[in-house]
């Protein structure tokens, strides 16, 4: 069988482990050929570093896409993440329309923010555009902040309150609302159903079912886990896993990486120390 191929539209941040520095090794070890279209080159990610450089690649994206079109390249998956400008919303939407085949899996990770706030480089217009882009997806992977932005609701964190029954009902309702009447699958990340656990609330458009996937988690914020989640999920779906299986794998992998990272006492900005554990994903 030929190696399946994914076009990945995400940024390249030199230091701090996120986006393409996570997506490429993860997809590769899962047996997927990753073809990156970098939306921007940054010296570091934007979460907690000051003075990072930012090279906007907006002009380059349609040029690279046109070249790929002239080569008649086909992709089994198109996966988008962090975008570098408002104009990139339409460019990525055009890319999806141009390259999507009948069996292409389109994953939009609507990267916009965390902890109730947009990332430094995201404008309100970009966030509104991300909601339009997400409409083209088969699967979306928002965190709770991004889900609130997409639904036009106030952000409500999972922690606190202690009423986990209410949390669970709320997370289920959010995942289903994000599916737009069951049209697309949703893996809502950062969904905690019990103290000391976190994971994802998944609505699977194929089955119409909503299921939670959880793992025990050390209470410690880590950078770049959302990109790992969406990458492992995409790799799993491309291998034929169900949404729940693929999300389960992603949550388990992040759990193992988080334990390792916390044990080493790495700073939050350095991201998740995932490289030594990549072999787990090869199986
Ligand atoms: O992990 C999401 C992400 C991706 N890319 C860049 C970021 C962030 C989050 O801060 O800054 C550049």
């Amino acid at each position: 069988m030929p190696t399946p191929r994914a076009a990945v539209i995400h940024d390249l941040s030199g230091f701090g482990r996120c986006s393409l520095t996570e997506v490429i090794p993860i997809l590769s070890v899962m047996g997927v050929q990753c073809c990156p279209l970098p939306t921007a080159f940054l010296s570091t990610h934007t979460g907690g570093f000051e003075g990072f450089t930012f090279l906007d690649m907006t002009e380059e994206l349609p040029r690279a896409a046109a070249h790929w079109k002239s080569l008649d390249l086909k992709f089994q998956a198109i996966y988008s993440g962090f975008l570098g400008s408002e104009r990139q919303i339409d460019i990525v939407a055009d890319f999806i329309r141009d390259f999507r085949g009948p069996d292409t899996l389109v994953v939009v990770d609507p990267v916009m923010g965390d902890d109730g706030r947009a990332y430094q480089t995201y404008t309100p217009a970009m966030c509104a555009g991300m909601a339009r882009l997400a409409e083209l997806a088969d699967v979306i992977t928002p965190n709770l902040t991004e889900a609130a932005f997409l639904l036009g609701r106030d952000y409500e964190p999972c922690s606190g309150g202690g009423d986990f029954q209410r949390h669970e009902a709320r997370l289920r309702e959010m995942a289903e609302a994000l599916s737009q009447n069951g049209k697309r699958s949703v893996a809502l990340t950062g969904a905690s159903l019990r103290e000391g656990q976190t994971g994802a609330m998944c609505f699977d458009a194929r089955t119409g079912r909503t299921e939670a996937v959880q793992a025990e988690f050390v209470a410690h914020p880590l950078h770049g886990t959302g990109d790992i989640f969406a990458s492992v999920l995409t790799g799993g779906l491309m291998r034929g896993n169900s949404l729940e299986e693929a999300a389960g794998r992603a949550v388990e992998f992040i759990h193992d990486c988080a334990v390792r990272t916390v044990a080493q006492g790495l700073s939050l900005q350095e991201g998740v120390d995932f490289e030594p554990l990549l072999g787990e994903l090869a199986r």
Side-chain angles (χ1 to χ4, degrees), residues 125-188:
M126 277 175 82
C127 294
M130 199 57 107
R132 279 186 280 118
L133 185 61
E135 304 216 340
L136 300 178
D138 298 309
V139 184
I140 60 169
T141 56
N143 61 27
L144 293 177
T145 300
E146 292 152 353
F149 290 174
L150 291 175
L151 293 170
R153 298 184 186 174
D154 288 340
Y155 166 70
E156 223 185 299
C158 251
S159 55
D163 183 351
F164 285 104
Q165 247 176 353
R166 191 185 74 83
H167 276 320
E168 179 163 353
R170 182 173 67 89
L171 293 167
R172 261 175 201 282
E173 186 278 325
M174 277 176 97
E176 287 164 13
L178 286 161
S179 78
Q180 299 198 312
N181 296 321
K183 283 205 292 286
R184 62 185 181 197
S185 293
V186 177
L188 176 60

Side-chain angles (χ1 to χ4, degrees), residues 10-11 13 18-19 42 44-47 82 111 119 223-227:
H10 225 314
D11 73 278
S13 289
C18 69
S19 36
L42 296 86
T44 66
H45 59 66
T46 67
F82 181 97
V111 176
Y119 294 132
H223 202 275
T225 50
D227 300 337

Side-chain angles (χ1 to χ4, degrees), residues 46-76:
T46 67
F49 288 104
E50 279 180 21
F52 56 82
T53 67
F54 185 101
L55 177 66
D56 179 355
M57 303 281 272
T58 303
E59 301 302 326
E60 204 61 14
L61 295 182
R63 286 160 39 86
H67 184 224
W68 285 1
K69 202 69 199 167
S70 76
L71 299 173
D72 198 26
L73 293 188
K74 304 274 187 263
F75 299 100
Q76 281 67 48

Side-chain angles (χ1 to χ4, degrees), residues 67-258:
H67 184 224
W68 285 1
K69 202 69 199 167
S70 76
L71 299 173
D72 198 26
L73 293 188
K74 304 274 187 263
F75 299 100
Q76 281 67 48
I78 301 169
Y79 159 25
S80 74
F82 181 97
L83 301 187
S85 69
E86 191 188 334
R87 266 214 301 135
Q88 288 185 9
I89 304 279
D90 287 335
I91 294 172
V92 177
D94 285 345
F95 185 92
I96 293 172
R97 288 191 199 99
D98 286 351
F99 284 89
R100 177 179 235 163
D103 299 321
T104 310
L105 168 73
V106 176
V107 179
V108 172
D109 184 5
V111 176
M112 290 185 272
D114 213 348
D115 295 322
R117 285 193 308 269
Y119 294 132
Q120 291 185 52
T121 56
Y122 269 71
T123 61
M126 277 175 82
C127 294
M130 199 57 107
R132 279 186 280 118
L133 185 61
E135 304 216 340
L136 300 178
D138 298 309
V139 184
I140 60 169
T141 56
N143 61 27
L144 293 177
T145 300
E146 292 152 353
F149 290 174
L150 291 175
L151 293 170
R153 298 184 186 174
D154 288 340
Y155 166 70
E156 223 185 299
C158 251
S159 55
D163 183 351
F164 285 104
Q165 247 176 353
R166 191 185 74 83
H167 276 320
E168 179 163 353
R170 182 173 67 89
L171 293 167
R172 261 175 201 282
E173 186 278 325
M174 277 176 97
E176 287 164 13
L178 286 161
S179 78
Q180 299 198 312
N181 296 321
K183 283 205 292 286
R184 62 185 181 197
S185 293
V186 177
L188 176 60
T189 64
S192 173
L193 300 193
R194 298 279 171 278
E195 195 72 48
Q197 289 188 354
T198 194
M201 183 63 86
C202 300
F203 171 82
D204 187 340
R206 294 198 173 170
T207 61
R209 289 203 339 229
T210 309
E211 303 280 348
V213 176
Q214 296 283 285
E216 303 297 317
F217 262 85
V218 264
H220 194 89
L222 290 166
H223 202 275
T225 50
D227 300 337
I228 296 183
F229 180 88
S231 304
V232 178
L233 186 87
T234 301
L237 293 174
M238 290 182 78
R239 283 177 162 198
N241 293 163
S242 69
L243 184 76
E244 209 185 320
E245 283 165 347
R249 223 155 167 219
V251 168
E252 197 184 314
F253 182 64
I254 296 170
H255 165 267
D256 295 352
C257 296

